Amino acid sequence: GVFDLESIKNSILNIFSTSPGEKILSPRFGIDLRRFVFEPISTNPNTEIEFLIETELPLQEPRINLLQVLVMPDNINQQYVITLVYDVKSLHMYSVTQKAVLNSSGYAIATE
């Protein structure tokens, strides 16, 4: 089960790190989150980031049931902390929490 969860986490990482149009065979694949890190960190884009994730991620990663998206701006470190909570019914895993940071280096899963 953990291996499958890792593959889902990697899939989410790929979706967030890829811009639509980057994958020629699937031009709609990806959510371009990187564009937000080159704008000043503010409380405005975080609602846009949440909306993008809420609308696009379930379409692009059908193995998860997205329950919650929380995007917190972190001005000091010039980044956003993104927390996802989702169920993976096929693995009987519920309320999986995945924390990550989005900054100028890209999107990276946070290690606790």
Side-chain angles (χ1 to χ4, degrees):
V2 173
F3 174 74
D4 293 323
L5 185 61
E6 284 307 307
S7 101
I8 289 171
K9 286 182 175 183
N10 284 330
S11 168
I12 292 170
L13 186 69
N14 284 335
I15 292 166
F16 287 170
S17 303
T18 304
S19 300
E22 227 173 280
K23 279 195 165 178
I24 292 153
L25 296 175
S26 359
R28 293 204 58 224
F29 179 85
I31 304 171
D32 183 16
L33 294 182
R34 288 177 294 193
R35 66 187 165 109
F36 292 102
V37 297
F38 298 107
E39 298 169 6
I41 303 285
S42 75
T43 50
N44 258 3
N46 68 347
T47 51
E48 198 179 336
I49 295 170
E50 283 173 13
F51 177 77
L52 261 176
I53 294 171
E54 286 166 359
T55 54
E56 289 295 321
L57 188 58
L59 301 172
Q60 299 194 30
E61 182 42 87
R63 294 176 291 181
I64 68 167
N65 176 29
L66 190 59
L67 303 173
Q68 186 181 24
V69 178
L70 188 63
V71 178
M72 297 297 296
D74 174 358
N75 290 322
I76 295 159
N77 298 306
Q78 286 296 296
Q79 65 186 13
Y80 294 97
V81 178
I82 300 174
T83 306
L84 304 176
V85 181
Y86 54 86
D87 293 341
V88 185
K89 289 194 175 107
S90 63
L91 299 177
H92 306 288
M93 297 176 98
Y94 300 95
S95 296
V96 175
T97 301
Q98 179 174 328
K99 242 186 169 168
V101 292
L102 173 68
N103 57 32
S104 58
S105 307
Y107 176 85
I109 294 172
T111 48
E112 300 292 320

Coordinates of all heavy atoms in Angstrom, one line a residue, residues 4-17 33 53 57 61 63-64 66-71 80-88 94-101 107-112:
D4 N 2.1 2.1 -3.4 CA 1.1 2.8 -4.2 C 0.9 4.2 -3.8 O 0.6 5.1 -4.7 CB -0.2 2.0 -4.1 CG -0.1 0.6 -4.8 OD1 0.6 0.5 -5.8 OD2 -0.7 -0.4 -4.2
L5 N 0.9 4.5 -2.5 CA 0.7 5.8 -2.0 C 1.9 6.7 -2.5 O 1.7 7.8 -3.0 CB 0.6 5.9 -0.5 CG 0.4 7.3 0.1 CD1 -1.0 7.8 -0.4 CD2 0.4 7.2 1.6
E6 N 3.1 6.2 -2.5 CA 4.3 6.9 -3.0 C 4.1 7.3 -4.5 O 4.4 8.3 -5.0 CB 5.6 6.1 -2.9 CG 6.1 6.2 -1.4 CD 6.2 7.6 -0.9 OE1 6.9 8.4 -1.5 OE2 5.6 7.8 0.2
S7 N 3.5 6.3 -5.3 CA 3.3 6.6 -6.7 C 2.2 7.7 -6.9 O 2.3 8.5 -7.8 CB 2.9 5.3 -7.4 OG 1.5 5.2 -7.7
I8 N 1.2 7.7 -6.0 CA 0.2 8.8 -6.1 C 0.9 10.1 -5.7 O 0.7 11.1 -6.4 CB -1.0 8.5 -5.2 CG1 -1.8 7.3 -5.8 CG2 -1.8 9.7 -4.9 CD1 -2.9 6.8 -4.9
K9 N 1.7 10.2 -4.7 CA 2.4 11.4 -4.3 C 3.3 11.9 -5.4 O 3.4 13.1 -5.7 CB 3.2 11.2 -3.0 CG 2.3 11.1 -1.7 CD 3.2 10.9 -0.5 CE 2.3 11.0 0.8 NZ 3.0 10.9 2.0
N10 N 4.0 11.0 -6.0 CA 4.9 11.3 -7.2 C 4.1 11.9 -8.3 O 4.5 12.8 -9.0 CB 5.7 10.2 -7.6 CG 6.9 9.9 -6.6 OD1 7.4 10.9 -6.0 ND2 7.3 8.7 -6.5
S11 N 2.9 11.3 -8.6 CA 2.0 11.7 -9.6 C 1.6 13.2 -9.3 O 1.6 14.0 -10.2 CB 0.8 10.8 -9.7 OG -0.2 11.4 -10.5
I12 N 1.2 13.5 -8.1 CA 0.8 14.8 -7.7 C 1.9 15.8 -7.9 O 1.8 16.9 -8.5 CB 0.2 14.8 -6.3 CG1 -1.1 14.1 -6.2 CG2 0.0 16.3 -5.8 CD1 -1.6 13.8 -4.8
L13 N 3.1 15.4 -7.5 CA 4.3 16.2 -7.7 C 4.5 16.5 -9.2 O 4.8 17.6 -9.5 CB 5.5 15.4 -7.1 CG 6.9 16.1 -7.1 CD1 6.9 17.2 -6.1 CD2 8.0 15.1 -6.8
N14 N 4.4 15.5 -10.0 CA 4.5 15.7 -11.5 C 3.4 16.7 -12.0 O 3.7 17.5 -12.8 CB 4.4 14.4 -12.3 CG 5.7 13.6 -12.1 OD1 6.7 14.1 -11.9 ND2 5.5 12.3 -12.3
I15 N 2.2 16.5 -11.6 CA 1.1 17.4 -12.0 C 1.4 18.8 -11.6 O 1.3 19.7 -12.4 CB -0.2 16.9 -11.4 CG1 -0.6 15.6 -12.0 CG2 -1.3 18.0 -11.6 CD1 -1.8 14.8 -11.3
F16 N 1.9 19.0 -10.4 CA 2.2 20.4 -9.9 C 3.4 21.0 -10.5 O 3.6 22.2 -10.6 CB 2.3 20.4 -8.4 CG 1.0 20.2 -7.7 CD1 1.0 20.0 -6.3 CD2 -0.2 20.3 -8.3 CE1 -0.2 19.9 -5.6 CE2 -1.4 20.1 -7.6 CZ -1.4 19.9 -6.3
S17 N 4.3 20.1 -11.0 CA 5.6 20.6 -11.6 C 5.6 20.8 -13.1 O 6.6 21.2 -13.7 CB 6.7 19.7 -11.2 OG 6.8 19.5 -9.8
L33 N 1.9 25.7 -11.3 CA 1.9 26.4 -10.0 C 3.2 27.3 -9.9 O 3.2 28.2 -9.2 CB 1.9 25.4 -8.8 CG 0.7 24.6 -8.6 CD1 0.8 23.7 -7.4 CD2 -0.6 25.5 -8.5
I53 N -6.0 23.9 -7.8 CA -5.8 22.5 -7.3 C -7.1 21.8 -7.2 O -7.3 20.7 -7.6 CB -5.0 22.5 -6.0 CG1 -3.5 23.0 -6.2 CG2 -4.9 21.1 -5.4 CD1 -2.7 23.3 -5.0
L57 N -6.8 19.0 -10.0 CA -6.2 17.8 -9.4 C -7.1 16.6 -9.5 O -6.6 15.5 -9.9 CB -5.6 18.0 -8.0 CG -4.8 16.9 -7.5 CD1 -3.6 16.6 -8.3 CD2 -4.3 17.2 -6.0
E61 N -5.7 13.3 -11.3 CA -5.3 12.2 -10.5 C -6.5 11.5 -9.9 O -7.0 11.8 -8.8 CB -4.3 12.7 -9.4 CG -3.8 11.6 -8.4 CD -3.4 10.3 -9.2 OE1 -2.3 10.2 -9.6 OE2 -4.3 9.4 -9.3
R63 N -7.2 8.7 -8.9 CA -7.1 7.7 -7.8 C -7.4 8.3 -6.4 O -7.6 7.6 -5.4 CB -5.7 7.1 -7.7 CG -5.4 6.2 -9.0 CD -4.0 5.7 -8.9 NE -3.0 6.8 -9.1 CZ -1.7 6.6 -9.2 NH1 -1.2 5.4 -9.0 NH2 -0.9 7.7 -9.4
I64 N -7.4 9.7 -6.3 CA -7.7 10.3 -5.0 C -9.0 11.0 -5.0 O -9.6 11.3 -6.0 CB -6.6 11.3 -4.7 CG1 -6.7 12.6 -5.6 CG2 -5.2 10.7 -4.7 CD1 -5.8 13.8 -5.1
L66 N -10.1 14.2 -3.3 CA -9.6 15.4 -2.6 C -10.6 15.9 -1.6 O -11.7 16.2 -2.0 CB -9.2 16.4 -3.7 CG -8.4 17.6 -3.3 CD1 -7.1 17.2 -2.7 CD2 -8.2 18.6 -4.4
L67 N -10.1 16.0 -0.4 CA -11.0 16.5 0.7 C -10.8 18.0 1.0 O -11.7 18.7 1.3 CB -10.8 15.7 2.0 CG -11.1 14.2 1.8 CD1 -10.7 13.4 3.1 CD2 -12.5 13.9 1.5
Q68 N -9.5 18.3 1.1 CA -9.1 19.7 1.5 C -7.8 20.2 0.8 O -6.9 19.4 0.6 CB -9.0 19.7 3.0 CG -8.8 21.1 3.6 CD -8.6 21.1 5.1 OE1 -8.2 20.1 5.7 NE2 -8.9 22.2 5.7
V69 N -7.8 21.4 0.5 CA -6.6 22.1 0.0 C -6.4 23.3 0.8 O -7.3 24.2 0.9 CB -6.8 22.5 -1.5 CG1 -5.5 23.2 -2.0 CG2 -7.1 21.3 -2.4
L70 N -5.2 23.5 1.4 CA -4.9 24.6 2.2 C -3.6 25.2 1.7 O -2.6 24.5 1.6 CB -4.8 24.2 3.7 CG -4.7 25.4 4.7 CD1 -5.9 26.2 4.7 CD2 -4.4 24.8 6.1
V71 N -3.6 26.5 1.3 CA -2.4 27.1 0.8 C -2.1 28.3 1.8 O -2.9 29.2 1.9 CB -2.6 27.6 -0.6 CG1 -1.4 28.4 -1.1 CG2 -2.9 26.5 -1.6
Y80 N 5.0 29.2 -0.5 CA 3.7 28.8 -0.1 C 3.8 27.4 0.5 O 4.5 26.6 0.0 CB 2.7 28.8 -1.2 CG 2.4 30.1 -1.8 CD1 3.0 30.5 -3.0 CD2 1.4 31.0 -1.3 CE1 2.8 31.8 -3.5 CE2 1.2 32.2 -1.8 CZ 1.9 32.6 -3.0 OH 1.6 33.8 -3.5
V81 N 3.1 27.2 1.6 CA 3.0 25.8 2.2 C 1.6 25.3 1.7 O 0.6 25.9 2.0 CB 3.1 25.8 3.7 CG1 3.0 24.4 4.3 CG2 4.5 26.4 4.1
I82 N 1.6 24.2 1.0 CA 0.4 23.6 0.5 C 0.1 22.3 1.2 O 1.0 21.4 1.2 CB 0.5 23.4 -1.1 CG1 0.8 24.7 -1.8 CG2 -0.7 22.7 -1.6 CD1 1.1 24.5 -3.3
T83 N -1.0 22.2 1.8 CA -1.4 21.0 2.5 C -2.6 20.4 1.7 O -3.6 21.1 1.5 CB -1.8 21.3 3.9 OG1 -0.7 21.9 4.6 CG2 -2.1 20.0 4.7
L84 N -2.5 19.1 1.3 CA -3.6 18.4 0.7 C -4.1 17.3 1.6 O -3.3 16.7 2.3 CB -3.1 17.7 -0.6 CG -2.4 18.6 -1.7 CD1 -2.0 17.7 -2.8 CD2 -3.4 19.6 -2.2
V85 N -5.4 17.1 1.7 CA -5.9 16.0 2.5 C -6.8 15.3 1.5 O -7.7 15.8 0.8 CB -6.7 16.5 3.7 CG1 -7.3 15.3 4.5 CG2 -5.9 17.4 4.6
Y86 N -6.6 13.9 1.4 CA -7.3 13.2 0.4 C -7.5 11.7 0.9 O -6.7 11.2 1.7 CB -6.7 13.2 -1.0 CG -5.2 12.8 -1.1 CD1 -4.8 11.5 -1.2 CD2 -4.2 13.8 -1.0 CE1 -3.5 11.2 -1.2 CE2 -2.9 13.5 -1.1 CZ -2.5 12.2 -1.2 OH -1.2 11.8 -1.3
D87 N -8.5 11.1 0.3 CA -8.7 9.6 0.5 C -8.2 8.9 -0.7 O -8.3 9.4 -1.8 CB -10.2 9.3 0.6 CG -10.8 9.9 1.9 OD1 -10.1 10.2 2.8 OD2 -12.1 10.0 1.9
V88 N -7.7 7.7 -0.5 CA -7.3 6.8 -1.6 C -8.2 5.5 -1.3 O -7.7 4.6 -0.6 CB -5.8 6.5 -1.6 CG1 -5.5 5.6 -2.9 CG2 -5.0 7.7 -1.6
Y94 N -7.5 6.7 4.3 CA -8.4 7.9 4.4 C -7.7 9.0 5.1 O -6.9 8.8 6.0 CB -9.7 7.5 5.1 CG -10.4 6.4 4.3 CD1 -10.2 5.0 4.7 CD2 -11.2 6.7 3.2 CE1 -10.8 4.0 3.9 CE2 -11.8 5.7 2.5 CZ -11.6 4.3 2.8 OH -12.1 3.3 2.1
S95 N -8.0 10.2 4.7 CA -7.5 11.5 5.2 C -6.0 11.5 5.2 O -5.3 11.8 6.2 CB -8.0 11.7 6.7 OG -9.4 11.9 6.6
V96 N -5.4 11.1 4.1 CA -3.9 11.2 3.9 C -3.6 12.6 3.8 O -4.2 13.4 3.0 CB -3.5 10.4 2.6 CG1 -2.0 10.6 2.3 CG2 -3.9 9.0 2.6
T97 N -2.6 13.1 4.6 CA -2.2 14.5 4.5 C -0.9 14.6 3.9 O 0.1 13.9 4.2 CB -2.1 15.1 6.0 OG1 -3.4 14.9 6.6 CG2 -1.7 16.5 6.0
Q98 N -0.8 15.4 2.9 CA 0.5 15.6 2.1 C 0.8 17.1 2.2 O 0.1 17.9 1.7 CB 0.3 15.1 0.7 CG 1.5 15.3 -0.2 CD 1.3 14.7 -1.6 OE1 0.6 13.7 -1.7 NE2 1.9 15.3 -2.6
K99 N 1.9 17.4 2.8 CA 2.4 18.8 3.0 C 3.5 19.0 2.0 O 4.4 18.2 1.8 CB 2.9 19.0 4.4 CG 2.1 20.0 5.1 CD 2.7 20.3 6.5 CE 2.1 21.6 7.0 NZ 2.3 21.8 8.4
A100 N 3.5 20.2 1.4 CA 4.6 20.5 0.4 C 4.8 22.0 0.4 O 4.0 22.8 0.9 CB 4.2 20.0 -0.9
V101 N 6.0 22.4 -0.1 CA 6.3 23.8 -0.3 C 6.4 24.1 -1.7 O 6.9 23.3 -2.5 CB 7.5 24.2 0.5 CG1 7.3 24.2 2.0 CG2 8.7 23.4 0.1
Y107 N 8.1 22.7 -6.7 CA 7.2 22.1 -5.7 C 7.9 20.9 -5.1 O 8.4 20.1 -5.8 CB 5.9 21.7 -6.4 CG 4.9 21.0 -5.6 CD1 4.0 21.7 -4.8 CD2 4.9 19.6 -5.5 CE1 3.1 21.1 -4.0 CE2 3.9 18.9 -4.7 CZ 3.0 19.7 -4.0 OH 2.1 19.0 -3.2
A108 N 8.0 20.9 -3.8 CA 8.6 19.7 -3.1 C 7.8 19.3 -1.9 O 7.3 20.1 -1.1 CB 10.0 20.2 -2.7
I109 N 7.7 18.0 -1.8 CA 7.0 17.4 -0.6 C 7.8 17.7 0.6 O 9.0 17.4 0.6 CB 6.7 15.9 -0.9 CG1 5.7 15.7 -2.0 CG2 6.1 15.3 0.4 CD1 5.5 14.3 -2.5
A110 N 7.2 18.2 1.6 CA 7.8 18.6 2.8 C 8.1 17.4 3.7 O 7.3 16.5 3.7 CB 7.0 19.6 3.6
T111 N 9.3 17.3 4.2 CA 9.6 16.2 5.1 C 9.4 16.7 6.5 O 9.9 17.8 6.9 CB 11.0 15.7 4.9 OG1 11.9 16.8 4.9 CG2 11.2 14.9 3.6
E112 N 8.6 16.0 7.3 CA 8.3 16.4 8.7 C 9.5 16.3 9.5 O 10.2 15.3 9.5 CB 7.1 15.5 9.2 CG 5.9 15.6 8.4 CD 5.2 17.0 8.4 OE1 5.1 17.5 9.5 OE2 4.7 17.4 7.4

